[in-house]
């Protein structure tokens, strides 16, 4: 496995890579969710590349950029073991020169949910992903469904800007109790970790009512709130039943929808999501 740190190095190695290339962009501190993306990328492409970059641009001023967990040696060992061919690990200065002044902004879709809770977050995400796509030029990009709005925002950017790559969504990998794997789970104290499974239970409550035929979105939101309210350590940021494409809040579910939520447990903010009425696979 090659570890590259500069853009000229990436371009040189990329020019030699014949056939299809799948890219897995990450912020590192890898877990089994990231590794599912790697497996999907490796299985469907001639080359599997990954990036590790904790992108300051997508963190708010009072967010956890400085404390975000990092362990590059372990990440590299895990990527190597999983059969990744190349890992691009840029320094901040490589991605953002001192006079950097160009940004990618996906409108409307980013006004809601995470975009409303974290102003500027998606501008940071789309800007860095656009740069990584321009640098690596992958045929396919592998993204997790857990970050449901991020997946839709990046898909929209790729479509609107005609970026020649295909976005491949990957199912959310969960702990046995349902908690979605996340690098931020390490922040949770033992009692908080135990409480955190209620996020999945809330999504399941919505999913079960939907499967039983309930189409009133407010009833599903109320069901999610009721489950979350059972856990005193959890404070709800938002609960949403939105149109799967526009992410607008729904009154009645008539097309595929997205159940999503964000909650704080202690100082840790976690998000999760589940699709309702998706046709291509069984429910998560
Ligand atoms: P991150 O390092 O948190 O920025 O995540 C990098 C990629 O891994 C994103 O596409 C995430 O959606 C994806 N990802 C994170 N957690 C999971 C998970 N539990 N299951 C599947 N994919 C995930």
């Amino acid at each position: 496995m090659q570890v590259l740190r500069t853009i000229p190095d990436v371009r040189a190695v990329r020019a030699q890579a014949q056939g299809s290339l799948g890219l897995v962009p990450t912020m590192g501190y890898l877990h089994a969710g990231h590794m599912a993306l790697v497996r999907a990328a490796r299985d469907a492409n001639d080359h599997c590349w990954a990036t590790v970059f904790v992108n300051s641009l997508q963190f708010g001023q009072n967010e956890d950029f400085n404390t975000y967990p990092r362990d590059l040696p372990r990440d590299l060992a895990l990527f190597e073991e999983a059969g990744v061919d190349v890992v691009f690990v840029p320094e901040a200065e490589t991605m953002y020169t001192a006079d950097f002044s160009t940004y990618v902004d996906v409108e409307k879709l980013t006004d809601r949910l995470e975009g409303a809770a974290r102003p500027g977050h998606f501008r940071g995400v789309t800007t860095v992903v656009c740069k990584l796509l321009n640098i690596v030029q992958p045929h396919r990009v592998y993204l997790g469904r857990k970050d449901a709005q991020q997946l839709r925002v990046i898909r929209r950017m790729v479509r609107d800007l005609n970026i020649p790559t295909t976005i491949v969504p990957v199912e959310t990998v969960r702990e046995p109790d349902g908690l979605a794997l996340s690098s931020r789970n390490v922040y949770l104290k033992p009692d908080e970790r135990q409480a955190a499974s209620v996020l999945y239970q809330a999504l399941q409550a919505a999913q079960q009512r939907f499967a039983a035929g309930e189409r009133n979105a407010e009833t599903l939101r109320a069901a999610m709130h009721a489950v979350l309210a059972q856990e005193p350590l959890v404070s709800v940021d938002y609960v949403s039943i939105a149109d799967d494409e526009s992410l607008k809040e729904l009154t009645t579910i008539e097309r595929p929808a997205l159940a999503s939520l964000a909650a704080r447990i202690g100082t840790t903010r976690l998000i999760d999501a589940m699709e309702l009425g998706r046709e291509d696979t069984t429910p998560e």
Side-chain angles (χ1 to χ4, degrees):
M1 185 177 80
Q2 282 181 283
V3 180
L4 306 178
R5 294 180 185 275
T6 72
I7 294 167
D9 282 354
V10 171
R11 295 220 190 273
V13 176
R14 177 68 184 93
Q16 300 303 313
Q18 307 271 325
S20 62
L21 193 155
L23 178 67
V24 179
T26 81
M27 298 204 299
Y29 212 74
L30 303 178
H31 51 64
H34 296 112
M35 302 328 281
L37 306 189
V38 167
R39 253 193 322 277
R42 203 194 46 201
D43 291 352
N45 296 279
D46 299 312
H47 304 275
C48 174
W49 288 33
T51 61
V52 178
F53 182 60
V54 184
N55 175 37
S56 57
L57 204 58
Q58 71 190 64
F59 287 79
Q61 285 218 321
N62 300 316
E63 292 185 357
D64 56 345
F65 174 70
N66 288 321
T67 54
Y68 194 84
R70 293 162 168 89
D71 188 345
L72 187 60
R74 176 174 168 275
D75 290 345
L76 295 179
L78 285 170
F79 276 145
E80 177 141 46
E81 202 183 324
V84 172
D85 301 298
V86 171
V87 186
F88 177 41
V89 190
E91 295 293 336
E93 303 75 55
T94 301
M95 295 299 278
Y96 303 115
T97 52
D99 57 352
F100 185 86
S101 58
T102 307
Y103 299 88
V104 179
D105 230 328
V106 172
E107 294 182 344
K108 296 194 183 79
L109 206 48
T110 60
D111 292 344
R112 309 179 237 287
L113 306 172
E114 285 303 281
R118 306 180 66 187
H121 169 65
F122 284 118
R123 184 185 196 237
V125 169
T126 45
T127 300
V128 80
V129 171
C130 183
K131 284 168 67 66
L132 291 171
L133 297 180
N134 284 334
I135 294 164
V136 176
Q137 305 193 9
H139 295 87
R140 301 188 184 91
V141 186
Y142 293 79
L143 300 175
R145 289 193 188 273
K146 176 181 80 83
D147 299 288
Q149 189 175 13
Q150 170 173 281
L151 168 64
R152 285 156 182 77
V153 167
I154 293 174
R155 208 191 268 154
R156 181 70 61 87
M157 171 186 77
V158 161
R159 189 200 73 183
D160 287 355
L161 298 183
N162 312 99
I163 300 175
T165 194
T166 302
I167 303 294
V168 184
V170 177
E171 292 310 318
T172 303
V173 177
R174 299 179 180 281
E175 299 281 6
D177 69 351
L179 176 65
L181 296 190
S182 163
S183 305
R184 290 190 169 97
N185 291 352
V186 294
Y187 296 147
L188 298 170
K189 302 193 181 95
D191 56 337
E192 295 173 344
R193 167 62 191 83
Q194 224 183 347
S197 64
V198 81
L199 273 62
Y200 177 65
Q201 289 159 20
L203 292 172
Q204 268 194 317
Q207 172 76 67
Q208 281 160 6
R209 278 175 183 66
F210 177 81
E214 182 60 64
R215 293 294 180 269
N216 183 306
E218 197 46 40
T219 305
L220 298 189
R221 282 183 213 105
M224 290 164 79
H225 275 295
V227 173
L228 293 166
Q230 288 166 16
E231 186 43 75
L233 290 179
V234 171
S235 93
V236 179
D237 212 340
Y238 63 77
V239 152
S240 162
I241 301 289
D243 180 79
D244 191 85
E245 223 177 277
S246 69
L247 298 182
K248 281 188 189 150
E249 290 303 316
L250 292 172
T251 307
T252 309
I253 305 175
E254 288 162 345
R255 305 186 334 111
L258 182 72
S260 68
L261 54 82
R264 272 170 217 283
I265 309 182
T267 53
T268 308
R269 187 172 181 281
L270 297 177
I271 60 170
D272 202 348
M274 212 179 261
E275 286 157 23
L276 306 177
R278 191 170 96 219
E279 278 167 20
D280 54 353
T281 61
T282 49
E284 282 175 48

